[in-house]
Amino acid sequence: MFIALGIIICSISSPVVAGLTPTCTLSSSLLVPLPTQLIFQSSLFLENIAVRTSSDLLLTSVESSTLHNLNPFTVNGTLAPVHTFSNSTAISGIAEYRPGVFAVVASVLNTTIRRAVPGSVVLWSVDFNQAVAAVNKIGTLPDLTGANGLTSIPDAPDTLLAADSASGAVWQMNTRTGASRLVIQDPSMLPGAPAPALGINGLHVHGGFLYFTNSQLGTFSRVPLKIESDEVSTEGPVQLLATTTGQSPDDFAIDTFGRAWTALHPGALDLVFPAANGTWSTLDIVGNLLGNNSALNQPTSAAFGRGDLLQTQMLYVTTAAGQVVRVDTTC
Ligand SMILES: *[C@@H]1O[C@H](CO)[C@@H](O)[C@H](O)[C@H]1NC(C)=O
Ligand SMILES: *[C@@H]1O[C@H](CO)[C@@H](O)[C@H](O)[C@H]1NC(C)=O
Ligand SMILES: *[C@@H]1O[C@H](CO)[C@@H](O)[C@H](O)[C@H]1NC(C)=O
Ligand SMILES: *[C@@H]1O[C@H](CO)[C@@H](O)[C@H](O)[C@H]1NC(C)=O
Ligand SMILES: *[C@@H]1O[C@H](CO)[C@@H](O)[C@H](O)[C@H]1NC(C)=O
């Protein structure tokens, strides 16, 4: 099911945190599947990924309270611990909100029901602009039990948005004061089934819209945002862009053309993109609906590399089976 939108977003200036310049254009056809390489196999359920300006990957796991660093240039390298967060068992979302400063969502997670202990969800900042990363508590999100994706907002470094997969909501947090506020709670974000089902999962802001997936409903949607004196609000109804029948979308990476490279359970990476006529389509980049491609076993998130031009065209995908897979999007 697709909805015509009329507006195609392309060549939006790239946010500081994205730093990606893919060469594939909307008009060029992608030769799929794109080549993949397993660069690391972890024993942990990998949940999310962010990339530092040094090209290093930051990896989170719902089975560990330690944030890890991985050098992407060494195949089968070593996970280097960056920091272990107290009073938590899991880290979900991660987002860079100022150059070199990342926020992570830590919580005490019951992995069976995929819900956090109420009151345990804390946002922390990890500042890499010094020899040893400086870690500080930003604030707690007492209303969240389904803490999942996290995103920064281009040009609004004081504000982070956190997804709650349980209550179908997005909360904002002020990175200076730690104050939090409900931005939106909507049926399009609800799980639509009891725990352990997850509703809204990945979320990213691009070109004035908040894009998000709903894992249980199998949807990719967006909602226009308004940001006024650090207060984020929606400026219109949620727009359903695409459905991923039979597959559960997780987190995704948006490129400079506004296309979403989306991790799908059980085993695919899909491109969700606006066609020339304004409707949105999906294309299997790696894997398929059956999920029988061992190159990607339960993908959870994706992020473009940083550094030279070649790195910015490498998409790093994490999976629940502990894989870190490099997808070459050069075309
Ligand atoms: C990395 O480890 C995997 C097994 O996890 C192995 O199949 C692969 O050959 C190794 N690659 C290199 C370059 O060592
Ligand atoms: C961890 O929890 C304990 C007990 O609730 C509390 O005293 C302590 O301050 C917490 N630590 C941090 C870093 O929040
Ligand atoms: C997780 O939740 C289930 C269902 O409520 C419960 O039976 C189990 O004891 C919980 N596990 C932990 C570690 O709290
Ligand atoms: C728009 O283009 C896509 C891709 O070419 C096509 O699948 C779809 O049917 C078109 N939709 C309309 C309403 O023309
Ligand atoms: C997945 O299953 C389909 C249908 O059985 C088969 O054609 C395809 O080769 C399989 N792919 C892999 C990677 O095993």
Side-chain angles (χ1 to χ4, degrees):
M1 191 195 325
F2 301 113
I3 289 180
L5 286 166
I7 306 165
I8 299 171
I9 305 169
C10 43
S11 54
I12 300 271
S13 63
S14 129
V16 168
V17 294
L20 45 104
T21 325
T23 53
C24 304
T25 64
L26 286 168
S27 52
S28 78
S29 53
L30 285 167
L31 197 58
V32 295
L34 293 182
T36 63
Q37 183 187 12
L38 177 67
I39 64 159
F40 188 76
Q41 176 65 62
S42 169
S43 56
L44 294 170
F45 178 129
L46 297 177
E47 171 67 14
N48 220 307
I49 182 170
V51 187
R52 297 171 56 189
T53 46
S54 65
S55 301
D56 281 357
L57 313 180
L58 293 172
L59 303 171
T60 72
S61 169
V62 289
E63 293 174 344
S64 171
S65 56
T66 301
L67 176 67
H68 287 102
N69 190 94
L70 183 70
N71 176 347
F73 301 114
T74 308
V75 173
N76 295 346
T78 333
L79 279 190
V82 173
H83 184 80
T84 299
F85 297 91
S86 44
N87 296 349
S88 68
T89 62
I91 312 176
S92 53
I94 180 165
E96 185 177 23
Y97 63 96
R98 288 183 182 279
V101 188
F102 294 78
V104 302
V105 185
S107 65
V108 177
L109 183 72
N110 182 325
T111 51
T112 310
I113 53 169
R114 296 199 279 185
R115 294 293 185 266
V117 170
S120 73
V121 179
V122 178
L123 243 65
W124 297 86
S125 75
V126 184
D127 184 350
F128 287 95
N129 295 308
Q130 41 227 301
V132 176
V135 177
N136 286 291
K137 187 174 179 170
I138 300 175
T140 59
L141 286 161
D143 298 280
L144 273 69
T145 55
N148 205 316
L150 183 71
T151 187
S152 53
I153 304 175
D155 307 323
D158 289 341
T159 308
L160 293 165
L161 298 180
D164 185 10
S165 302
S167 70
V170 173
W171 288 77
Q172 74 166 84
M173 179 165 278
N174 185 301
T175 58
R176 292 185 184 280
T177 65
S180 61
R181 216 183 121 253
L182 179 67
V183 174
I184 179 176
Q185 186 168 27
D186 192 78
S188 63
M189 300 174 173
L190 275 170
L198 302 176
I200 182 172
N201 195 320
L203 78 173
H204 295 280
V205 176
H206 183 91
F209 288 92
L210 173 67
Y211 289 82
F212 62 92
T213 56
N214 182 312
S215 295
Q216 176 71 21
L217 301 183
T219 52
F220 184 85
S221 311
R222 73 177 183 184
V223 62
L225 284 188
K226 185 172 70 177
I227 302 156
E228 261 174 7
S229 31
D230 287 344
E231 290 221 340
V232 184
S233 53
T234 57
E235 219 181 8
V238 171
Q239 306 164 357
L240 174 66
L241 302 178
T243 54
T244 56
T245 313
Q247 299 176 81
S248 294
D250 199 321
D251 212 335
F252 55 92
I254 294 192
D255 67 19
T256 45
F257 301 112
R259 306 176 301 182
W261 299 74
T262 309
L264 294 162
H265 299 243
L269 173 73
D270 266 36
L271 191 61
V272 184
F273 64 99
N277 60 19
T279 61
W280 286 63
S281 301
T282 59
L283 174 70
D284 288 342
I285 297 296
V286 182
N288 52 48
L289 178 64
L290 301 167
N292 63 352
N293 187 322
S294 57
L296 278 181
N297 187 352
Q298 304 162 72
T300 50
S301 62
F304 281 97
R306 293 170 77 175
D308 63 16
L309 181 62
L310 187 63
Q311 273 305 300
T312 63
Q313 297 173 60
M314 297 299 153
L315 185 69
Y316 291 93
V317 182
T318 55
T319 75
Q323 298 164 312
V324 181
V325 177
R326 176 162 47 215
V327 180
D328 184 348
T329 72
T330 315
C331 57

